[in-house]
Amino acid sequence: MSLRQYLTSRVFFVQILIAFAIIAVLGYLFMHWLTFTTDHGHEIEVPNLAKLTEEQVEEKLDELDLDYVLLDSVDYRSQFPKYSVVEQDPLPGTKVKVGRKIYIKINSSGFSSVKIPDLIEKTYREAVPTLKALGLEAGTITYIPNLGKDMVLEMRYKGRNLKVGDRVLKASKIDLVLGDGKATYVDDSQATDSLAVPATETPKDE
């Protein structure tokens, strides 16, 4: 049988069909094997880990066949308990596969301290962003007579005056004493005594 006759024969077409069938079966089995090994279609909803301790996180994630990685601690946040989770990735409610690692950040044990910046003779508008950048807040505002309107004259914390470089805890409220812009003064060299009697010249005898 020639090659041309073989390629057009029924035997050749049957063998082609068998080969395609084998490839299809192998492809089907491979996809099922891949689905089984990757646990495709079986996803877990990430729980909310906020305010849980690291031990509680480990226990909770173990029950769900998930893992976690502690990244670092963050500056103390008063709305969260000490050493509790304040941030997580992925976020709660995200669908993940078995064994997925959840990255967490833990609250520190308390506020750290910062140095008081030099705000004297700066305007209130300049002082507030400076305080916020250091994790501080502007507290009570008091005005006193001074030509510098809204200019910082004093910094106070819990009733005591602060000096540049003094340390306070983050999130502290710094009270500011500002000028009211209405102060006036009198130059003593130009002042006249309202009680002084003008001198009169005594006429000379003629």
Side-chain angles (χ1 to χ4, degrees):
M1 180 183 295
S2 65
L3 178 60
R4 182 176 181 182
Q5 290 175 329
Y6 174 72
L7 294 177
T8 57
S9 66
R10 181 179 179 183
V11 174
F12 175 73
F13 284 108
V14 170
Q15 290 177 339
I16 291 294
L17 291 175
I18 293 174
F20 274 116
I22 293 174
I23 293 174
V25 171
L26 290 177
Y28 177 79
L29 293 176
F30 175 76
M31 291 302 297
H32 272 268
W33 174 82
L34 190 62
T35 299
F36 175 77
T37 54
T38 59
D39 202 17
H40 180 72
H42 179 58
E43 295 182 322
I44 301 171
E45 184 175 315
V46 177
N48 186 1
L49 305 176
K51 299 185 178 181
L52 297 183
T53 64
E54 188 175 353
E55 292 76 14
Q56 292 172 326
V57 167
E58 183 175 9
E59 182 179 347
K60 191 165 190 174
L61 294 183
D62 280 346
E63 296 174 354
L64 299 173
D65 292 327
L66 298 175
D67 200 359
Y68 78 96
V69 175
L70 176 60
L71 295 178
D72 53 23
S73 60
V74 299
D75 287 339
Y76 181 69
R77 302 181 187 179
S78 58
Q79 64 270 35
F80 291 88
K82 296 178 181 179
Y83 305 114
S84 68
V85 176
V86 296
E87 295 180 18
Q88 69 178 87
D89 181 32
L91 296 174
T94 305
K95 300 289 186 179
V96 297
K97 295 180 180 179
V98 172
R100 173 66 185 270
K101 291 181 179 179
I102 311 300
Y103 298 90
I104 61 174
K105 291 184 179 181
I106 298 294
N107 200 18
S108 60
S109 60
F111 289 117
S112 56
S113 64
V114 294
K115 288 184 178 180
I116 292 295
D118 186 2
L119 302 179
I120 303 301
E121 296 188 355
K122 294 185 182 296
T123 65
Y124 178 75
R125 185 172 294 182
E126 293 173 323
V128 171
T130 303
L131 291 174
K132 288 184 176 180
L134 295 172
L136 301 172
E137 299 179 28
T140 303
I141 305 302
T142 305
Y143 287 92
I144 62 175
N146 189 276
L147 288 174
K149 181 174 176 56
D150 292 329
M151 185 173 67
V152 178
L153 303 175
E154 296 179 20
M155 300 176 291
R156 298 173 180 173
Y157 177 64
K158 293 184 177 179
R160 66 182 178 89
N161 285 347
L162 293 172
K163 300 187 300 296
V164 176
D166 286 349
R167 302 193 74 94
V168 296
L169 295 177
K170 276 190 175 183
S172 296
K173 291 186 177 182
I174 307 303
D175 300 329
L176 300 175
V177 178
L178 309 179
D180 61 6
K182 299 179 181 179
T184 58
Y185 67 96
V186 176
D187 188 344
D188 292 338
S189 64
Q190 298 179 357
T192 57
D193 188 351
S194 61
L195 299 179
V197 178
T200 57
E201 185 176 349
T202 304
K204 294 181 179 179
D205 295 334
E206 295 181 355

